[in-house]
Amino acid sequence: GQIPNNISMSLHKQNVKVIGTTPEMIDNAENRYKFSRLLDTININQPKWKELISIEESINFCEDVGYPCLVRPSYVLSGAAMNVVNNNNDLKDYLSNALKNRIEISKDYPVVISKYILDAKEIEVDAVAKNGDVKIYAISEHVENAGVHSGDATLILPPQDLTNNTIEKIKISIYKIAKELMINGPFNIQFIAKDDDIKVIECNLRASRSFPFVSKTLDINFAIVNSIDGYDEVSLTANTHFANNSEEKNISPSDFGL
């Protein structure tokens, strides 16, 4: 999934028709700086952040908000090349290694540094939208605290330790982000939560590693939901309701906390 996102803008500039979410919106999600600005625009919380312009400014930012901080390059597989830095030397080492590993750092491929929240819980959302309207979503909870890459983390569905208030805030964010990016197809959002306060880490406009996991667990093929007429929204509760045709489907386990 990541390679098509990486070449979407190049295809767009060559006047290639791209089906699904538009290349411009893919760029708004993949470009860390643009996505952080987008979240600010629609009033969705995120950790304090700054676009990397120089090492000196990066050090000043990290010292201002306090270490640890999370450094995130643009247009990479979710989690790839992300790193938590704990001091100025870690930050300098990261930037040096990024350049050695040919991770591009430029105006078009900015690196964003954000405050890393200790002892927080990471939450994954897998969803499908059509023309910005959410059709189906599932909320999964990481067993490990935030900071463990999602490819290595243990996920629980339905979540066990999230309050109703936290879940409601997550749902509001899902709908806002899908609408703002006019998403067509699958997407994944990663949140960080602590003390009923949630913040968005990133949004990937593609199927994630957990996409087939939630489909199998819930016995609903997320991949085909977008192509079925009449499925305006699927909310994963004890009885899943398909909005346009009053169909209900019992799902086990019975409580998905949505």
Side-chain angles (χ1 to χ4, degrees):
Q2 188 59 41
I3 291 175
N5 281 7
N6 289 357
I7 65 175
S8 62
M9 283 302 291
S10 297
L11 293 173
H12 177 64
K13 290 174 183 177
Q14 296 298 320
N15 297 317
V16 175
K17 183 177 180 180
V18 177
I19 298 172
T21 306
T22 65
E24 294 98 326
M25 291 304 181
I26 292 173
D27 185 58
N28 283 342
E30 291 286 348
N31 183 303
R32 304 293 184 187
Y33 175 64
K34 291 181 181 179
F35 184 63
S36 292
R37 287 195 307 175
L38 180 146
L39 294 180
D40 286 343
T41 300
I42 58 178
N43 296 315
I44 291 181
N45 289 338
Q46 60 183 309
K48 292 182 179 179
W49 66 277
K50 184 177 180 65
E51 181 185 18
L52 172 62
I53 299 174
S54 69
I55 293 178
E56 181 180 356
E57 287 190 2
S58 301
I59 290 175
N60 289 340
F61 172 79
C62 291
E63 289 180 342
D64 182 49
V65 301
Y67 285 102
C69 290
L70 181 68
V71 189
R72 299 175 289 155
S74 299
Y75 278 97
V76 296
L77 188 65
S78 174
M82 282 189 188
N83 203 27
V84 176
V85 295
N86 295 293
N87 51 55
N88 291 344
N89 289 333
D90 282 354
L91 179 58
K92 293 176 183 177
D93 289 344
Y94 169 86
L95 296 176
S96 298
N97 290 331
L99 294 174
K100 288 179 183 177
N101 293 327
R102 298 182 179 180
I103 296 172
E104 185 173 351
I105 300 174
S106 66
K107 182 179 179 180
D108 293 329
Y109 295 86
V111 169
V112 164
I113 301 176
S114 55
K115 171 63 180 173
Y116 180 72
I117 302 172
L118 292 170
D119 300 322
K121 184 173 291 294
E122 189 163 336
I123 300 155
E124 299 242 3
V125 169
D126 289 289
V128 178
K130 188 172 184 178
N131 298 323
D133 293 326
V134 177
K135 299 293 183 181
I136 187 169
Y137 60 87
I139 300 174
S140 304
E141 174 186 10
H142 285 212
V143 172
E144 299 84 0
N145 281 345
V148 176
H149 179 231
S150 58
D152 302 317
T154 307
L155 269 64
I156 297 178
L157 174 65
Q160 301 297 301
D161 297 320
L162 303 183
T163 67
N164 290 335
N165 189 33
T166 293
I167 290 171
E168 190 60 31
K169 289 178 180 178
I170 290 170
K171 289 166 62 177
I172 291 170
S173 296
I174 296 169
Y175 281 84
K176 277 188 172 183
I177 291 171
K179 181 66 71 177
E180 189 69 18
L181 291 171
M182 282 300 293
I183 297 175
N184 271 299
F187 63 102
N188 169 272
I189 304 176
Q190 296 174 21
F191 294 86
I192 193 168
K194 185 176 182 179
D195 300 329
D196 253 357
D197 183 31
I198 68 157
K199 300 180 188 296
V200 170
I201 302 174
E202 64 179 356
C203 176
N204 300 297
L205 301 188
R206 53 174 171 76
S208 67
R209 297 174 184 86
S210 48
F211 201 75
F213 164 74
V214 299
S215 292
K216 290 179 179 179
T217 302
L218 302 176
D219 195 27
I220 297 176
N221 188 345
F222 275 41
I224 68 169
V225 166
N226 204 36
S227 65
I228 300 175
D229 292 334
Y231 282 15
D232 268 2
E233 178 187 346
V234 185
S235 58
L236 302 182
T237 56
N239 292 309
T240 293
H241 179 63
F242 301 94
N244 269 357
N245 57 14
S246 72
E247 175 185 352
E248 292 190 350
K249 178 176 180 179
N250 292 323
I251 300 176
S252 180
S254 61
D255 182 11
F256 289 87
L258 299 178

